[in-house]
mmCIF file with all atom_site columns, all heavy atoms in Angstrom:
data_model
loop_
_atom_site.group_PDB
_atom_site.id
_atom_site.type_symbol
_atom_site.label_atom_id
_atom_site.label_alt_id
_atom_site.label_comp_id
_atom_site.label_asym_id
_atom_site.label_entity_id
_atom_site.label_seq_id
_atom_site.pdbx_PDB_ins_code
_atom_site.Cartn_x
_atom_site.Cartn_y
_atom_site.Cartn_z
_atom_site.occupancy
_atom_site.B_iso_or_equiv
_atom_site.pdbx_formal_charge
_atom_site.auth_seq_id
_atom_site.auth_comp_id
_atom_site.auth_asym_id
_atom_site.auth_atom_id
_atom_site.pdbx_PDB_model_num
ATOM 1  N N   . PRO A 1 105 ? 98.225  -30.519 196.003 1.00 95.00 ? 323 PRO A N   1
ATOM 2  C CA  . PRO A 1 105 ? 97.989  -31.614 196.994 1.00 95.00 ? 323 PRO A CA  1
ATOM 3  C C   . PRO A 1 105 ? 98.577  -31.061 198.319 1.00 95.00 ? 323 PRO A C   1
ATOM 4  O O   . PRO A 1 105 ? 99.166  -30.013 198.396 1.00 95.00 ? 323 PRO A O   1
ATOM 5  C CB  . PRO A 1 105 ? 98.816  -32.735 196.369 1.00 95.00 ? 323 PRO A CB  1
ATOM 6  C CG  . PRO A 1 105 ? 99.845  -32.115 195.608 1.00 95.00 ? 323 PRO A CG  1
ATOM 7  C CD  . PRO A 1 105 ? 99.192  -30.799 194.929 1.00 95.00 ? 323 PRO A CD  1
ATOM 8  N N   . GLU A 1 106 ? 98.256  -31.744 199.328 1.00 93.00 ? 324 GLU A N   1
ATOM 9  C CA  . GLU A 1 106 ? 98.786  -31.399 200.815 1.00 93.00 ? 324 GLU A CA  1
ATOM 10 C C   . GLU A 1 106 ? 100.304 -31.561 200.836 1.00 93.00 ? 324 GLU A C   1
ATOM 11 O O   . GLU A 1 106 ? 100.954 -30.689 201.553 1.00 93.00 ? 324 GLU A O   1
ATOM 12 C CB  . GLU A 1 106 ? 98.035  -32.263 201.716 1.00 93.00 ? 324 GLU A CB  1
ATOM 13 C CG  . GLU A 1 106 ? 96.618  -32.245 201.993 1.00 93.00 ? 324 GLU A CG  1
ATOM 14 C CD  . GLU A 1 106 ? 96.279  -30.808 202.735 1.00 93.00 ? 324 GLU A CD  1
ATOM 15 O OE1 . GLU A 1 106 ? 97.081  -30.508 203.714 1.00 93.00 ? 324 GLU A OE1 1
ATOM 16 O OE2 . GLU A 1 106 ? 95.304  -30.200 202.335 1.00 93.00 ? 324 GLU A OE2 1
ATOM 17 N N   . THR A 1 107 ? 100.869 -32.616 200.152 1.00 96.00 ? 325 THR A N   1
ATOM 18 C CA  . THR A 1 107 ? 102.352 -32.781 200.194 1.00 96.00 ? 325 THR A CA  1
ATOM 19 C C   . THR A 1 107 ? 102.808 -33.091 198.795 1.00 96.00 ? 325 THR A C   1
ATOM 20 O O   . THR A 1 107 ? 101.908 -33.392 197.991 1.00 96.00 ? 325 THR A O   1
ATOM 21 C CB  . THR A 1 107 ? 102.746 -33.958 201.190 1.00 96.00 ? 325 THR A CB  1
ATOM 22 O OG1 . THR A 1 107 ? 102.052 -35.123 200.745 1.00 96.00 ? 325 THR A OG1 1
ATOM 23 C CG2 . THR A 1 107 ? 102.270 -33.634 202.587 1.00 96.00 ? 325 THR A CG2 1
ATOM 24 N N   . ASP A 1 108 ? 104.053 -32.980 198.620 1.00 96.00 ? 326 ASP A N   1
ATOM 25 C CA  . ASP A 1 108 ? 104.573 -33.302 197.284 1.00 96.00 ? 326 ASP A CA  1
ATOM 26 C C   . ASP A 1 108 ? 104.293 -34.710 196.833 1.00 96.00 ? 326 ASP A C   1
ATOM 27 O O   . ASP A 1 108 ? 104.643 -35.584 197.660 1.00 96.00 ? 326 ASP A O   1
ATOM 28 C CB  . ASP A 1 108 ? 106.049 -33.049 197.210 1.00 96.00 ? 326 ASP A CB  1
ATOM 29 C CG  . ASP A 1 108 ? 106.441 -31.492 197.250 1.00 96.00 ? 326 ASP A CG  1
ATOM 30 O OD1 . ASP A 1 108 ? 105.587 -30.638 196.776 1.00 96.00 ? 326 ASP A OD1 1
ATOM 31 O OD2 . ASP A 1 108 ? 107.453 -31.225 197.656 1.00 96.00 ? 326 ASP A OD2 1
ATOM 32 N N   . GLU A 1 109 ? 103.905 -34.833 195.636 1.00 97.00 ? 327 GLU A N   1
ATOM 33 C CA  . GLU A 1 109 ? 103.480 -36.309 195.174 1.00 97.00 ? 327 GLU A CA  1
ATOM 34 C C   . GLU A 1 109 ? 104.521 -36.747 194.094 1.00 97.00 ? 327 GLU A C   1
ATOM 35 O O   . GLU A 1 109 ? 104.294 -37.871 193.601 1.00 97.00 ? 327 GLU A O   1
ATOM 36 C CB  . GLU A 1 109 ? 102.076 -36.352 194.574 1.00 97.00 ? 327 GLU A CB  1
ATOM 37 C CG  . GLU A 1 109 ? 101.077 -36.067 195.799 1.00 97.00 ? 327 GLU A CG  1
ATOM 38 C CD  . GLU A 1 109 ? 99.590  -35.937 195.108 1.00 97.00 ? 327 GLU A CD  1
ATOM 39 O OE1 . GLU A 1 109 ? 99.453  -35.868 193.862 1.00 97.00 ? 327 GLU A OE1 1
ATOM 40 O OE2 . GLU A 1 109 ? 98.699  -35.933 195.827 1.00 97.00 ? 327 GLU A OE2 1
ATOM 41 N N   . ILE A 1 110 ? 105.484 -35.858 193.777 1.00 97.00 ? 328 ILE A N   1
ATOM 42 C CA  . ILE A 1 110 ? 106.460 -36.205 192.813 1.00 97.00 ? 328 ILE A CA  1
ATOM 43 C C   . ILE A 1 110 ? 107.915 -36.082 193.322 1.00 97.00 ? 328 ILE A C   1
ATOM 44 O O   . ILE A 1 110 ? 107.984 -35.364 194.402 1.00 97.00 ? 328 ILE A O   1
ATOM 45 C CB  . ILE A 1 110 ? 106.305 -35.533 191.494 1.00 97.00 ? 328 ILE A CB  1
ATOM 46 C CG1 . ILE A 1 110 ? 106.384 -33.931 191.693 1.00 97.00 ? 328 ILE A CG1 1
ATOM 47 C CG2 . ILE A 1 110 ? 105.076 -35.900 190.739 1.00 97.00 ? 328 ILE A CG2 1
ATOM 48 C CD1 . ILE A 1 110 ? 106.312 -33.147 190.406 1.00 97.00 ? 328 ILE A CD1 1
ATOM 49 N N   . SER A 1 111 ? 108.793 -36.536 192.688 1.00 97.00 ? 329 SER A N   1
ATOM 50 C CA  . SER A 1 111 ? 110.301 -36.609 193.272 1.00 97.00 ? 329 SER A CA  1
ATOM 51 C C   . SER A 1 111 ? 110.929 -35.088 193.081 1.00 97.00 ? 329 SER A C   1
ATOM 52 O O   . SER A 1 111 ? 110.406 -34.319 192.207 1.00 97.00 ? 329 SER A O   1
ATOM 53 C CB  . SER A 1 111 ? 111.056 -37.550 192.571 1.00 97.00 ? 329 SER A CB  1
ATOM 54 O OG  . SER A 1 111 ? 111.277 -37.183 191.238 1.00 97.00 ? 329 SER A OG  1
ATOM 55 N N   . PRO A 1 112 ? 111.855 -34.781 193.807 1.00 96.00 ? 330 PRO A N   1
ATOM 56 C CA  . PRO A 1 112 ? 112.604 -33.526 193.666 1.00 96.00 ? 330 PRO A CA  1
ATOM 57 C C   . PRO A 1 112 ? 113.223 -33.344 192.193 1.00 96.00 ? 330 PRO A C   1
ATOM 58 O O   . PRO A 1 112 ? 113.096 -32.208 191.613 1.00 96.00 ? 330 PRO A O   1
ATOM 59 C CB  . PRO A 1 112 ? 113.791 -33.563 194.651 1.00 96.00 ? 330 PRO A CB  1
ATOM 60 C CG  . PRO A 1 112 ? 113.354 -34.477 195.673 1.00 96.00 ? 330 PRO A CG  1
ATOM 61 C CD  . PRO A 1 112 ? 112.429 -35.476 195.055 1.00 96.00 ? 330 PRO A CD  1
ATOM 62 N N   . LYS A 1 113 ? 113.548 -34.454 191.621 1.00 97.00 ? 331 LYS A N   1
ATOM 63 C CA  . LYS A 1 113 ? 113.923 -34.459 190.102 1.00 97.00 ? 331 LYS A CA  1
ATOM 64 C C   . LYS A 1 113 ? 112.794 -33.940 189.235 1.00 97.00 ? 331 LYS A C   1
ATOM 65 O O   . LYS A 1 113 ? 112.953 -33.055 188.344 1.00 97.00 ? 331 LYS A O   1
ATOM 66 C CB  . LYS A 1 113 ? 114.490 -35.719 189.619 1.00 97.00 ? 331 LYS A CB  1
ATOM 67 C CG  . LYS A 1 113 ? 114.986 -35.863 188.235 1.00 97.00 ? 331 LYS A CG  1
ATOM 68 C CD  . LYS A 1 113 ? 115.389 -37.223 187.935 1.00 97.00 ? 331 LYS A CD  1
ATOM 69 C CE  . LYS A 1 113 ? 115.687 -37.353 186.351 1.00 97.00 ? 331 LYS A CE  1
ATOM 70 N NZ  . LYS A 1 113 ? 116.088 -38.679 186.136 1.00 97.00 ? 331 LYS A NZ  1
ATOM 71 N N   . GLU A 1 114 ? 111.609 -34.461 189.484 1.00 97.00 ? 332 GLU A N   1
ATOM 72 C CA  . GLU A 1 114 ? 110.493 -34.225 188.646 1.00 97.00 ? 332 GLU A CA  1
ATOM 73 C C   . GLU A 1 114 ? 109.891 -32.713 188.893 1.00 97.00 ? 332 GLU A C   1
ATOM 74 O O   . GLU A 1 114 ? 109.565 -32.050 188.134 1.00 97.00 ? 332 GLU A O   1
ATOM 75 C CB  . GLU A 1 114 ? 109.452 -35.196 188.959 1.00 97.00 ? 332 GLU A CB  1
ATOM 76 C CG  . GLU A 1 114 ? 109.677 -36.535 188.377 1.00 97.00 ? 332 GLU A CG  1
ATOM 77 C CD  . GLU A 1 114 ? 108.659 -37.630 188.888 1.00 97.00 ? 332 GLU A CD  1
ATOM 78 O OE1 . GLU A 1 114 ? 108.497 -37.559 190.091 1.00 97.00 ? 332 GLU A OE1 1
ATOM 79 O OE2 . GLU A 1 114 ? 108.081 -38.332 188.073 1.00 97.00 ? 332 GLU A OE2 1
ATOM 80 N N   . ILE A 1 115 ? 110.164 -32.256 190.183 1.00 97.00 ? 333 ILE A N   1
ATOM 81 C CA  . ILE A 1 115 ? 109.823 -30.928 190.519 1.00 97.00 ? 333 ILE A CA  1
ATOM 82 C C   . ILE A 1 115 ? 110.705 -29.940 189.770 1.00 97.00 ? 333 ILE A C   1
ATOM 83 O O   . ILE A 1 115 ? 110.167 -29.059 189.099 1.00 97.00 ? 333 ILE A O   1
ATOM 84 C CB  . ILE A 1 115 ? 109.898 -30.723 192.057 1.00 97.00 ? 333 ILE A CB  1
ATOM 85 C CG1 . ILE A 1 115 ? 108.802 -31.492 192.772 1.00 97.00 ? 333 ILE A CG1 1
ATOM 86 C CG2 . ILE A 1 115 ? 109.876 -29.226 192.423 1.00 97.00 ? 333 ILE A CG2 1
ATOM 87 C CD1 . ILE A 1 115 ? 108.937 -31.356 194.271 1.00 97.00 ? 333 ILE A CD1 1
ATOM 88 N N   . GLU A 1 116 ? 111.919 -30.175 189.814 1.00 97.00 ? 334 GLU A N   1
ATOM 89 C CA  . GLU A 1 116 ? 112.923 -29.328 189.055 1.00 97.00 ? 334 GLU A CA  1
ATOM 90 C C   . GLU A 1 116 ? 112.599 -29.256 187.490 1.00 97.00 ? 334 GLU A C   1
ATOM 91 O O   . GLU A 1 116 ? 112.475 -28.039 186.999 1.00 97.00 ? 334 GLU A O   1
ATOM 92 C CB  . GLU A 1 116 ? 114.256 -29.800 189.112 1.00 97.00 ? 334 GLU A CB  1
ATOM 93 C CG  . GLU A 1 116 ? 114.892 -29.689 190.484 1.00 97.00 ? 334 GLU A CG  1
ATOM 94 C CD  . GLU A 1 116 ? 116.351 -30.393 190.680 1.00 97.00 ? 334 GLU A CD  1
ATOM 95 O OE1 . GLU A 1 116 ? 116.837 -30.974 189.696 1.00 97.00 ? 334 GLU A OE1 1
ATOM 96 O OE2 . GLU A 1 116 ? 116.840 -30.285 191.723 1.00 97.00 ? 334 GLU A OE2 1
#
Side-chain angles (χ1 to χ4, degrees):
E324 291 288 324
T325 58
D326 292 333
E327 296 175 346
I328 58 177
S329 67
K331 176 184 177 181
E332 292 170 309
I333 290 174
E334 290 174 359

